[in-house]
Amino acid sequence: DYVRTSYNLQIECDYEEFGQFINELEKSDRIISLEEFVVQNKLQKIESRKNRERFDTHIFELKISTLTLIKHT
């Protein structure tokens, strides 16, 4: 038996930083499941040079779950 706790996250980073983030999740002592993720790129913003945002970052929306095992005594 276990308890699943879901989290919705939104982070802004580049692809390399996203990969490093996923690696850190995998190293966790907790059981973490990546349920889904969506990448929102900023290609539409390239046309607007007035906007000074970094074009190499993207918004990642993630749904993760932690699993907590229930010990029966």
Side-chain angles (χ1 to χ4, degrees):
D1 292 335
Y2 60 89
V3 174
R4 179 186 302 267
T5 307
S6 296
Y7 300 91
N8 292 313
L9 305 173
Q10 185 177 59
I11 59 175
E12 183 172 354
C13 58
D14 62 30
Y15 289 114
E16 184 176 337
E17 292 167 328
F18 181 69
Q20 292 170 352
F21 175 73
I22 297 300
N23 274 341
E24 290 301 316
L25 289 180
E26 290 177 345
K27 292 178 187 176
S28 174
D29 291 339
R30 307 273 323 255
I31 300 172
I32 300 175
S33 174
L34 176 59
E35 304 293 332
E36 65 182 78
F37 72 92
V38 175
V39 181
Q40 297 180 13
N41 63 30
K42 297 182 180 182
L43 294 179
Q44 68 276 9
K45 294 184 180 182
I46 292 176
E47 296 175 3
S48 172
R49 294 290 177 181
K50 295 180 280 186
N51 195 338
R52 296 288 183 199
E53 291 185 52
R54 287 179 49 195
F55 295 115
D56 62 340
T57 63
H58 309 283
I59 296 173
F60 295 84
E61 295 178 358
L62 299 91
K63 180 178 178 183
I64 64 171
S65 297
T66 60
L67 303 177
T68 304
L69 300 177
I70 298 173
K71 296 180 183 177
H72 295 282
T73 56

